[in-house]
Amino acid sequence: MNAQKPYWDEEMEAALPVLQKLENAGFEAVFVGGCVRDVIAGRPITDVDIATSATPDAVMVLFDRTVPTGLQHGTVTVIVNERTYEVTTYRSEAEYEDHRRPAGVAFIAELEGDLLRRDFTINAMALRADGTLVDLYGGLSDLHAGIIRCVGDADERFSEDALRMVRAVRFASTFGYAIAPSAWRALLRNRELLQHVAMERIGAELDKMIGGAGPHRAAALLAASGLLARAKEPLPAGFAQPGCGSRQRPALRSGRGAGGAGGVPPLSSALARLQGKDDRWAAVFLALRLSPEDAEETLQRLRFPGRRIASARSAVKLHDAAAPLAASSGAAATPAAAAAWVDAVLAAGVETASAWLRITREFAASGAQIGGLPLSEAALDALAAQLAGMPCTAIRELAVNGNILCSHLGLKPGPRTGALLNGLLRSVALRETPNEREALLALAEFMEEDRMNDGPYTS
Ligand code: ATP
Ligand code: MG
């Protein structure tokens, strides 16, 4: 920060040549949107967006390296000094179709009109190359007061693009701001329009909320707004309307309306301390007591990638098997509990087991209940120690493989080989047998003999 440019940072300094080049060619160019908001608030800025009076064609002529990323919206990506900048021509969006996208955009010459089309006052400010702030709609005072307020008439803005209602919750929850009463009332009036918005766009906003600084505030605001129950595709009730699920307690509910984004305090701090988004998603599903099927369906409907859906589902599924083992400090110490934990880990995989431990330990440390059972920190520590001490958690880590086993026992490769390998893995994970070739082959022989005699190792 300096006296001439109170709102500035090094990312903007690095992007200055882009503004200057446009200005030298006779156009206007400014930093705009999220980067201006974040630099004023003293937050690190993610990306520097630029708005200009130059048309996309003119931008592409002016810079050596450009990518026509969104020409229909007037956006060209400009690459300067190995950094990329989205340069968007000033535009207005007069008419909207289906409450989700403008019927067409018109390029305009004035910054004022461009700022007017933006969603919230805090997102509708611009910074010129000399550091002057352009704040036509009271964004600075709303930013200082921590208020999410629509530019112009809130009913109009939400009805033009219904996703803005979800964005309001996203900005309020990540920044810890309040939604202006006028915007909140308009949101409640317009919430049915969310049915026009693609599930994928809602999913992307929810993912940013959960990854942000206030996932618990997002949950409280979403519950109070009733927005998710109005989505185009039905989301499981336990997720869309917390408290209504079959096996649910309203753990994430605060019911305190627009500004009161409280949540249950220990739960909220535990959620915010989890680092990964996937851990947070699983934690939310557990706190809401969703079944693995409902967790899966939620993320499927929100168009998450399969890998992320599987990760959340398996953590929620593991909870059913593992939570009873951690419900009291004594339980994990018994041989039966140790065996049950090994079985749960082998079924879920070590990554899921580690994620589940990260989540439940964070919750237990904050004194929050998750999934209906109070978990003991000591028991979770014991499960974590047992996991860390498991010599193997996957068949590929065994000192023998299917071929070795088949040739040693004279078996044909088939389901029996798989069953034997699983039996060996379980025994190694339980530390009953060392992960050594001779010991494993001896155990496999014993298991085969046992099977011939219909013994307990038969599977
Ligand atoms: P972040 O990138 O941190 O999520 P952002 O404010 O930069 O926040 P973007 O989605 O990148 O959000 O959008 C950039 C800018 O474009 C916003 O600051 C806002 O001015 C405008 N904008 C984005 N989406 C909309 C929308 N649906 N309606 C109106 N203006 C929007
Ligand atoms: Mg952005």
Side-chain angles (χ1 to χ4, degrees):
M1 194 190 280
N2 62 44
Q4 282 79 39
K5 295 183 172 180
Y7 311 122
W8 206 253
D9 86 345
E10 53 199 33
E11 292 295 322
M12 288 177 166
E13 196 59 35
L16 201 51
V18 182
L19 294 196
Q20 284 163 342
K21 191 161 198 171
L22 285 157
E23 287 183 345
N24 291 342
F27 300 108
E28 237 184 72
V30 293
F31 298 128
V32 73
C35 65
V36 178
R37 175 197 68 214
D38 290 341
V39 82
I40 296 175
R43 284 186 287 263
I45 58 183
T46 41
D47 38 34
V48 174
D49 290 326
I50 293 168
T52 180
S53 60
T55 62
D57 288 345
V59 174
M60 287 198 288
V61 169
L62 215 49
F63 292 91
D64 296 336
R65 295 170 71 196
T66 60
V67 185
T69 20
L71 281 189
Q72 69 279 27
H73 309 115
T75 303
V76 174
T77 299
V78 169
I79 306 162
V80 173
N81 295 332
E82 305 312 316
R83 296 178 198 232
T84 60
Y85 302 101
E86 297 222 320
V87 178
T88 305
T89 305
Y90 292 163
R91 60 176 216 227
S92 65
E93 298 162 356
E95 290 168 46
Y96 276 75
E97 266 176 4
D98 307 337
H99 311 285
R100 64 195 151 104
R101 67 171 113 81
V105 301
F107 298 142
I108 55 177
E110 305 294 331
L111 172 61
E112 184 177 349
D114 184 80
L115 296 179
L116 185 63
R117 73 164 171 93
R118 293 174 185 271
D119 46 7
F120 304 111
T121 58
I122 60 165
N123 288 345
M125 291 182 280
L127 266 181
R128 297 194 190 278
D130 65 1
T132 330
L133 181 70
V134 184
D135 175 24
L136 304 175
Y137 306 106
L140 188 62
S141 82
D142 283 341
L143 191 58
H144 287 318
I147 293 175
I148 305 297
R149 188 191 316 276
C150 294
V151 176
D153 184 78
D155 283 290
E156 263 175 43
R157 307 332 298 279
F158 290 153
S159 124
E160 286 165 356
D161 178 357
L163 184 74
R164 289 173 183 159
M165 296 185 281
V166 187
R167 285 172 60 87
V169 171
R170 199 246 292 181
F171 291 121
S173 66
T174 35
F175 302 146
Y177 292 174
I179 297 177
S182 57
W184 182 254
R185 285 194 297 268
L187 187 155
L188 295 178
R189 281 192 293 270
N190 289 279
R191 61 189 180 182
E192 301 297 337
L193 300 178
L194 197 67
Q195 61 182 291
H196 300 285
V197 174
M199 296 300 285
E200 190 178 353
R201 295 180 78 198
I202 299 176
E205 288 295 332
L206 291 181
D207 202 34
K208 286 186 181 174
M209 285 181 216
I210 214 158
H216 53 290
R217 289 191 289 263
L221 284 169
L222 287 169
S225 70
L227 269 173
L228 293 179
R230 273 83 185 173
K232 179 185 294 211
E233 292 177 23
L235 292 162
F239 183 76
Q241 294 161 298
C244 301
S246 54
R247 49 185 221 168
Q248 221 176 19
R249 286 181 201 176
L252 284 170
R253 214 176 192 182
S254 95
R256 265 191 268 158
V264 178
L267 182 76
S268 50
S269 55
L271 207 49
R273 274 204 307 277
L274 288 168
Q275 295 302 309
K277 278 192 201 178
D278 287 345
D279 282 5
R280 289 185 179 188
W281 272 108
V284 164
F285 293 139
L286 289 175
L288 291 174
R289 306 207 60 199
L290 258 62
S291 66
E293 294 72 30
D294 280 352
E296 177 176 28
E297 189 183 342
T298 301
L299 295 184
Q300 260 168 2
R301 295 227 179 246
L302 295 170
R303 308 293 188 271
F304 273 55
R307 179 189 53 76
R308 298 191 62 193
I309 300 174
S311 138
R313 184 201 153 98
S314 63
V316 175
K317 186 160 190 266
L318 173 63
H319 188 73
D320 282 341
L325 306 175
S328 78
S329 53
T334 69
W341 176 232
V342 162
D343 288 334
V345 170
L346 297 185
V350 66
E351 280 179 20
T352 296
S354 307
W356 180 80
L357 281 169
R358 281 194 299 275
I359 297 164
T360 48
R361 292 173 102 184
E362 212 52 90
F363 275 75
S366 358
Q369 275 199 20
I370 188 165
L373 283 175
L375 300 182
S376 136
E377 274 188 271
L380 289 168
D381 289 348
L383 294 180
Q386 197 192 335
L387 177 65
M390 283 183 205
C392 272
T393 52
I395 283 175
R396 63 175 184 281
E397 296 164 16
L398 285 173
V400 297
N401 60 26
N403 289 337
I404 299 175
L405 216 53
C406 286
S407 63
H408 184 80
L409 298 174
L411 287 173
K412 284 202 187 107
R416 178 66 196 149
T417 330
L420 280 170
L421 287 168
N422 277 323
L424 298 180
L425 176 62
R426 186 168 189 270
S427 180
V428 173
L430 277 167
R431 309 182 74 96
E432 291 169 353
T433 307
N435 187 20
E436 290 160 12
R437 188 185 160 112
E438 295 313 315
L440 293 176
L441 291 177
L443 176 58
E445 275 174 37
F446 173 77
M447 286 160 76
E448 267 303 88
E449 277 170 29
D450 187 65
R451 182 173 73 105
M452 303 300 177
N453 303 326
D454 283 342
Y457 276 96
T458 307
S459 50

